[in-house]
Amino acid sequence: SVSLRHHRHYHLLSLCFLFVWGTSFSLAALTEQQILEKLFDATQGENWKTSDQWKSSSNVCEWFGVTCNEDNAVEKLSLDRNNLNGALPSELWQLKALQEVSVRMNLLTSANLQGLQTENPKQDPRSPLLRFQAADNHLTS
């Protein structure tokens, strides 16, 4: 019957919508807070010497070692001598205003710099990183 056919189409469209809707959330860009939380988790943040405000509900600009620009976007990370241990996550380079990262004298094993590469910077802008300081770590890649 006609009503049964419309009913089936409605369910099919509903399923397609749910699939697309669910997929769009997984592809959504991470917030600055989510990116910094990934950094914290990937580098054993619970063991950092200083982690004031990290993973709290306060603005990320108030977190230890985070400096923001006038637009409240993360511009600089200063986490030298802070017992970071592990690998910097590639998501770190998704911070759109990040210009400087200083993680000297820690226990980092990898920096995942491939996240900085892009084939077309005008269409796919990455972090405008100007300075990356990571001396005195255990970097292998």
Side-chain angles (χ1 to χ4, degrees), residues 13-36:
L13 286 173
S14 296
L15 287 173
C16 289
F17 173 76
L18 285 173
F19 176 76
V20 171
W21 182 68
T23 303
S24 67
F25 273 96
S26 65
L27 298 176
L30 296 173
T31 66
E32 289 190 324
Q33 180 171 343
Q34 291 170 324
I35 292 168
L36 293 176

PDB file of all heavy atoms in Angstrom, residues 13-36:
ATOM      1  N   LEU A  13      15.013   7.268   5.379  1.00  0.00           N
ATOM      2  CA  LEU A  13      15.525   8.632   5.493  1.00  0.00           C
ATOM      3  C   LEU A  13      15.970   8.933   6.918  1.00  0.00           C
ATOM      4  O   LEU A  13      16.992   9.580   7.136  1.00  0.00           O
ATOM      5  CB  LEU A  13      14.466   9.636   5.046  1.00  0.00           C
ATOM      6  CG  LEU A  13      14.222   9.712   3.548  1.00  0.00           C
ATOM      7  CD1 LEU A  13      13.030  10.621   3.253  1.00  0.00           C
ATOM      8  CD2 LEU A  13      15.456  10.217   2.846  1.00  0.00           C
ATOM      9  N   SER A  14      15.237   8.443   7.894  1.00  0.00           N
ATOM     10  CA  SER A  14      15.614   8.654   9.296  1.00  0.00           C
ATOM     11  C   SER A  14      16.952   8.008   9.592  1.00  0.00           C
ATOM     12  O   SER A  14      17.813   8.593  10.251  1.00  0.00           O
ATOM     13  CB  SER A  14      14.558   8.081  10.234  1.00  0.00           C
ATOM     14  OG  SER A  14      13.345   8.758  10.071  1.00  0.00           O
ATOM     15  N   LEU A  15      17.151   6.798   9.097  1.00  0.00           N
ATOM     16  CA  LEU A  15      18.429   6.112   9.318  1.00  0.00           C
ATOM     17  C   LEU A  15      19.575   6.847   8.635  1.00  0.00           C
ATOM     18  O   LEU A  15      20.656   6.987   9.203  1.00  0.00           O
ATOM     19  CB  LEU A  15      18.352   4.670   8.826  1.00  0.00           C
ATOM     20  CG  LEU A  15      17.523   3.720   9.692  1.00  0.00           C
ATOM     21  CD1 LEU A  15      17.386   2.375   9.004  1.00  0.00           C
ATOM     22  CD2 LEU A  15      18.150   3.573  11.065  1.00  0.00           C
ATOM     23  N   CYS A  16      19.349   7.316   7.418  1.00  0.00           N
ATOM     24  CA  CYS A  16      20.384   8.079   6.709  1.00  0.00           C
ATOM     25  C   CYS A  16      20.720   9.350   7.472  1.00  0.00           C
ATOM     26  O   CYS A  16      21.889   9.691   7.628  1.00  0.00           O
ATOM     27  CB  CYS A  16      19.926   8.423   5.286  1.00  0.00           C
ATOM     28  SG  CYS A  16      19.872   6.997   4.200  1.00  0.00           S
ATOM     29  N   PHE A  17      19.699  10.041   7.959  1.00  0.00           N
ATOM     30  CA  PHE A  17      19.937  11.261   8.719  1.00  0.00           C
ATOM     31  C   PHE A  17      20.752  10.973   9.975  1.00  0.00           C
ATOM     32  O   PHE A  17      21.701  11.665  10.285  1.00  0.00           O
ATOM     33  CB  PHE A  17      18.610  11.925   9.091  1.00  0.00           C
ATOM     34  CG  PHE A  17      18.780  13.096  10.006  1.00  0.00           C
ATOM     35  CD1 PHE A  17      19.249  14.311   9.528  1.00  0.00           C
ATOM     36  CD2 PHE A  17      18.514  12.978  11.361  1.00  0.00           C
ATOM     37  CE1 PHE A  17      19.422  15.387  10.367  1.00  0.00           C
ATOM     38  CE2 PHE A  17      18.696  14.053  12.218  1.00  0.00           C
ATOM     39  CZ  PHE A  17      19.153  15.255  11.727  1.00  0.00           C
ATOM     40  N   LEU A  18      20.386   9.926  10.702  1.00  0.00           N
ATOM     41  CA  LEU A  18      21.121   9.577  11.916  1.00  0.00           C
ATOM     42  C   LEU A  18      22.571   9.242  11.604  1.00  0.00           C
ATOM     43  O   LEU A  18      23.486   9.631  12.331  1.00  0.00           O
ATOM     44  CB  LEU A  18      20.452   8.401  12.635  1.00  0.00           C
ATOM     45  CG  LEU A  18      19.171   8.735  13.381  1.00  0.00           C
ATOM     46  CD1 LEU A  18      18.519   7.466  13.910  1.00  0.00           C
ATOM     47  CD2 LEU A  18      19.449   9.710  14.515  1.00  0.00           C
ATOM     48  N   PHE A  19      22.811   8.531  10.514  1.00  0.00           N
ATOM     49  CA  PHE A  19      24.183   8.193  10.146  1.00  0.00           C
ATOM     50  C   PHE A  19      24.992   9.448   9.825  1.00  0.00           C
ATOM     51  O   PHE A  19      26.077   9.651  10.333  1.00  0.00           O
ATOM     52  CB  PHE A  19      24.190   7.242   8.941  1.00  0.00           C
ATOM     53  CG  PHE A  19      25.566   6.936   8.444  1.00  0.00           C
ATOM     54  CD1 PHE A  19      26.378   6.049   9.129  1.00  0.00           C
ATOM     55  CD2 PHE A  19      26.059   7.557   7.313  1.00  0.00           C
ATOM     56  CE1 PHE A  19      27.654   5.784   8.687  1.00  0.00           C
ATOM     57  CE2 PHE A  19      27.338   7.292   6.868  1.00  0.00           C
ATOM     58  CZ  PHE A  19      28.134   6.408   7.553  1.00  0.00           C
ATOM     59  N   VAL A  20      24.421  10.323   9.007  1.00  0.00           N
ATOM     60  CA  VAL A  20      25.115  11.555   8.642  1.00  0.00           C
ATOM     61  C   VAL A  20      25.286  12.451   9.859  1.00  0.00           C
ATOM     62  O   VAL A  20      26.349  13.007  10.104  1.00  0.00           O
ATOM     63  CB  VAL A  20      24.360  12.297   7.508  1.00  0.00           C
ATOM     64  CG1 VAL A  20      24.945  13.671   7.273  1.00  0.00           C
ATOM     65  CG2 VAL A  20      24.402  11.466   6.239  1.00  0.00           C
ATOM     66  N   TRP A  21      24.248  12.577  10.670  1.00  0.00           N
ATOM     67  CA  TRP A  21      24.304  13.422  11.861  1.00  0.00           C
ATOM     68  C   TRP A  21      25.359  12.904  12.820  1.00  0.00           C
ATOM     69  O   TRP A  21      26.183  13.643  13.324  1.00  0.00           O
ATOM     70  CB  TRP A  21      22.928  13.459  12.511  1.00  0.00           C
ATOM     71  CG  TRP A  21      22.848  14.337  13.708  1.00  0.00           C
ATOM     72  CD1 TRP A  21      22.948  15.689  13.737  1.00  0.00           C
ATOM     73  CD2 TRP A  21      22.647  13.933  15.060  1.00  0.00           C
ATOM     74  NE1 TRP A  21      22.818  16.150  15.030  1.00  0.00           N
ATOM     75  CE2 TRP A  21      22.631  15.087  15.848  1.00  0.00           C
ATOM     76  CE3 TRP A  21      22.469  12.698  15.669  1.00  0.00           C
ATOM     77  CZ2 TRP A  21      22.445  15.039  17.227  1.00  0.00           C
ATOM     78  CZ3 TRP A  21      22.279  12.659  17.028  1.00  0.00           C
ATOM     79  CH2 TRP A  21      22.276  13.820  17.782  1.00  0.00           C
ATOM     80  N   GLY A  22      25.403  11.603  13.062  1.00  0.00           N
ATOM     81  CA  GLY A  22      26.399  11.015  13.952  1.00  0.00           C
ATOM     82  C   GLY A  22      27.798  11.160  13.401  1.00  0.00           C
ATOM     83  O   GLY A  22      28.748  11.424  14.130  1.00  0.00           O
ATOM     84  N   THR A  23      27.958  11.032  12.095  1.00  0.00           N
ATOM     85  CA  THR A  23      29.260  11.163  11.465  1.00  0.00           C
ATOM     86  C   THR A  23      29.771  12.592  11.561  1.00  0.00           C
ATOM     87  O   THR A  23      30.936  12.825  11.811  1.00  0.00           O
ATOM     88  CB  THR A  23      29.188  10.739   9.978  1.00  0.00           C
ATOM     89  OG1 THR A  23      28.698   9.410   9.924  1.00  0.00           O
ATOM     90  CG2 THR A  23      30.541  10.810   9.323  1.00  0.00           C
ATOM     91  N   SER A  24      28.877  13.559  11.405  1.00  0.00           N
ATOM     92  CA  SER A  24      29.324  14.948  11.435  1.00  0.00           C
ATOM     93  C   SER A  24      29.914  15.307  12.792  1.00  0.00           C
ATOM     94  O   SER A  24      30.849  16.081  12.873  1.00  0.00           O
ATOM     95  CB  SER A  24      28.182  15.892  11.069  1.00  0.00           C
ATOM     96  OG  SER A  24      27.182  15.862  12.059  1.00  0.00           O
ATOM     97  N   PHE A  25      29.387  14.728  13.859  1.00  0.00           N
ATOM     98  CA  PHE A  25      29.948  15.010  15.172  1.00  0.00           C
ATOM     99  C   PHE A  25      31.344  14.438  15.311  1.00  0.00           C
ATOM    100  O   PHE A  25      32.214  15.028  15.909  1.00  0.00           O
ATOM    101  CB  PHE A  25      29.038  14.462  16.281  1.00  0.00           C
ATOM    102  CG  PHE A  25      27.983  15.438  16.678  1.00  0.00           C
ATOM    103  CD1 PHE A  25      26.716  15.357  16.136  1.00  0.00           C
ATOM    104  CD2 PHE A  25      28.259  16.450  17.574  1.00  0.00           C
ATOM    105  CE1 PHE A  25      25.743  16.267  16.497  1.00  0.00           C
ATOM    106  CE2 PHE A  25      27.292  17.366  17.934  1.00  0.00           C
ATOM    107  CZ  PHE A  25      26.032  17.270  17.394  1.00  0.00           C
ATOM    108  N   SER A  26      31.588  13.264  14.747  1.00  0.00           N
ATOM    109  CA  SER A  26      32.908  12.662  14.884  1.00  0.00           C
ATOM    110  C   SER A  26      33.944  13.395  14.037  1.00  0.00           C
ATOM    111  O   SER A  26      35.122  13.320  14.315  1.00  0.00           O
ATOM    112  CB  SER A  26      32.862  11.181  14.507  1.00  0.00           C
ATOM    113  OG  SER A  26      32.547  11.044  13.144  1.00  0.00           O
ATOM    114  N   LEU A  27      33.487  14.112  13.006  1.00  0.00           N
ATOM    115  CA  LEU A  27      34.412  14.834  12.144  1.00  0.00           C
ATOM    116  C   LEU A  27      34.570  16.296  12.560  1.00  0.00           C
ATOM    117  O   LEU A  27      35.357  17.015  11.976  1.00  0.00           O
ATOM    118  CB  LEU A  27      33.929  14.775  10.689  1.00  0.00           C
ATOM    119  CG  LEU A  27      33.853  13.384  10.073  1.00  0.00           C
ATOM    120  CD1 LEU A  27      33.260  13.474   8.673  1.00  0.00           C
ATOM    121  CD2 LEU A  27      35.205  12.714  10.055  1.00  0.00           C
ATOM    122  N   ALA A  28      33.826  16.714  13.558  1.00  0.00           N
ATOM    123  CA  ALA A  28      33.868  18.113  13.981  1.00  0.00           C
ATOM    124  C   ALA A  28      35.247  18.457  14.525  1.00  0.00           C
ATOM    125  O   ALA A  28      35.921  17.625  15.115  1.00  0.00           O
ATOM    126  CB  ALA A  28      32.807  18.362  15.041  1.00  0.00           C
ATOM    127  N   ALA A  29      35.637  19.697  14.307  1.00  0.00           N
ATOM    128  CA  ALA A  29      36.931  20.159  14.802  1.00  0.00           C
ATOM    129  C   ALA A  29      36.927  20.142  16.327  1.00  0.00           C
ATOM    130  O   ALA A  29      35.914  20.408  16.966  1.00  0.00           O
ATOM    131  CB  ALA A  29      37.204  21.564  14.287  1.00  0.00           C
ATOM    132  N   LEU A  30      38.071  19.825  16.875  1.00  0.00           N
ATOM    133  CA  LEU A  30      38.223  19.822  18.325  1.00  0.00           C
ATOM    134  C   LEU A  30      38.310  21.260  18.841  1.00  0.00           C
ATOM    135  O   LEU A  30      38.843  22.135  18.171  1.00  0.00           O
ATOM    136  CB  LEU A  30      39.496  19.072  18.721  1.00  0.00           C
ATOM    137  CG  LEU A  30      39.543  17.585  18.393  1.00  0.00           C
ATOM    138  CD1 LEU A  30      40.930  17.030  18.684  1.00  0.00           C
ATOM    139  CD2 LEU A  30      38.494  16.833  19.174  1.00  0.00           C
ATOM    140  N   THR A  31      37.823  21.483  20.028  1.00  0.00           N
ATOM    141  CA  THR A  31      37.971  22.791  20.655  1.00  0.00           C
ATOM    142  C   THR A  31      39.390  22.907  21.203  1.00  0.00           C
ATOM    143  O   THR A  31      40.101  21.904  21.358  1.00  0.00           O
ATOM    144  CB  THR A  31      36.983  22.963  21.824  1.00  0.00           C
ATOM    145  OG1 THR A  31      37.325  22.028  22.861  1.00  0.00           O
ATOM    146  CG2 THR A  31      35.544  22.762  21.369  1.00  0.00           C
ATOM    147  N   GLU A  32      39.797  24.123  21.522  1.00  0.00           N
ATOM    148  CA  GLU A  32      41.119  24.309  22.107  1.00  0.00           C
ATOM    149  C   GLU A  32      41.246  23.539  23.417  1.00  0.00           C
ATOM    150  O   GLU A  32      42.280  22.936  23.691  1.00  0.00           O
ATOM    151  CB  GLU A  32      41.407  25.799  22.328  1.00  0.00           C
ATOM    152  CG  GLU A  32      41.640  26.545  21.043  1.00  0.00           C
ATOM    153  CD  GLU A  32      42.161  27.948  21.268  1.00  0.00           C
ATOM    154  OE1 GLU A  32      41.736  28.602  22.248  1.00  0.00           O
ATOM    155  OE2 GLU A  32      43.011  28.380  20.471  1.00  0.00           O
ATOM    156  N   GLN A  33      40.187  23.542  24.196  1.00  0.00           N
ATOM    157  CA  GLN A  33      40.225  22.813  25.466  1.00  0.00           C
ATOM    158  C   GLN A  33      40.432  21.323  25.222  1.00  0.00           C
ATOM    159  O   GLN A  33      41.246  20.681  25.895  1.00  0.00           O
ATOM    160  CB  GLN A  33      38.940  23.045  26.264  1.00  0.00           C
ATOM    161  CG  GLN A  33      38.948  22.301  27.591  1.00  0.00           C
ATOM    162  CD  GLN A  33      37.795  22.677  28.492  1.00  0.00           C
ATOM    163  OE1 GLN A  33      37.151  23.700  28.293  1.00  0.00           O
ATOM    164  NE2 GLN A  33      37.552  21.862  29.487  1.00  0.00           N
ATOM    165  N   GLN A  34      39.728  20.751  24.255  1.00  0.00           N
ATOM    166  CA  GLN A  34      39.879  19.328  23.952  1.00  0.00           C
ATOM    167  C   GLN A  34      41.289  19.004  23.477  1.00  0.00           C
ATOM    168  O   GLN A  34      41.858  17.974  23.853  1.00  0.00           O
ATOM    169  CB  GLN A  34      38.857  18.898  22.901  1.00  0.00           C
ATOM    170  CG  GLN A  34      37.435  18.891  23.406  1.00  0.00           C
ATOM    171  CD  GLN A  34      36.423  18.708  22.287  1.00  0.00           C
ATOM    172  OE1 GLN A  34      36.599  19.205  21.174  1.00  0.00           O
ATOM    173  NE2 GLN A  34      35.349  17.991  22.586  1.00  0.00           N
ATOM    174  N   ILE A  35      41.867  19.885  22.676  1.00  0.00           N
ATOM    175  CA  ILE A  35      43.225  19.666  22.187  1.00  0.00           C
ATOM    176  C   ILE A  35      44.217  19.704  23.345  1.00  0.00           C
ATOM    177  O   ILE A  35      45.097  18.837  23.464  1.00  0.00           O
ATOM    178  CB  ILE A  35      43.594  20.715  21.108  1.00  0.00           C
ATOM    179  CG1 ILE A  35      42.752  20.489  19.848  1.00  0.00           C
ATOM    180  CG2 ILE A  35      45.086  20.668  20.793  1.00  0.00           C
ATOM    181  CD1 ILE A  35      42.826  21.611  18.834  1.00  0.00           C
ATOM    182  N   LEU A  36      44.073  20.687  24.213  1.00  0.00           N
ATOM    183  CA  LEU A  36      44.985  20.785  25.357  1.00  0.00           C
ATOM    184  C   LEU A  36      44.792  19.621  26.324  1.00  0.00           C
ATOM    185  O   LEU A  36      45.769  19.143  26.922  1.00  0.00           O
ATOM    186  CB  LEU A  36      44.809  22.123  26.059  1.00  0.00           C
ATOM    187  CG  LEU A  36      45.245  23.346  25.243  1.00  0.00           C
ATOM    188  CD1 LEU A  36      44.939  24.637  25.996  1.00  0.00           C
ATOM    189  CD2 LEU A  36      46.723  23.267  24.880  1.00  0.00           C
TER     190      LEU A  36
END
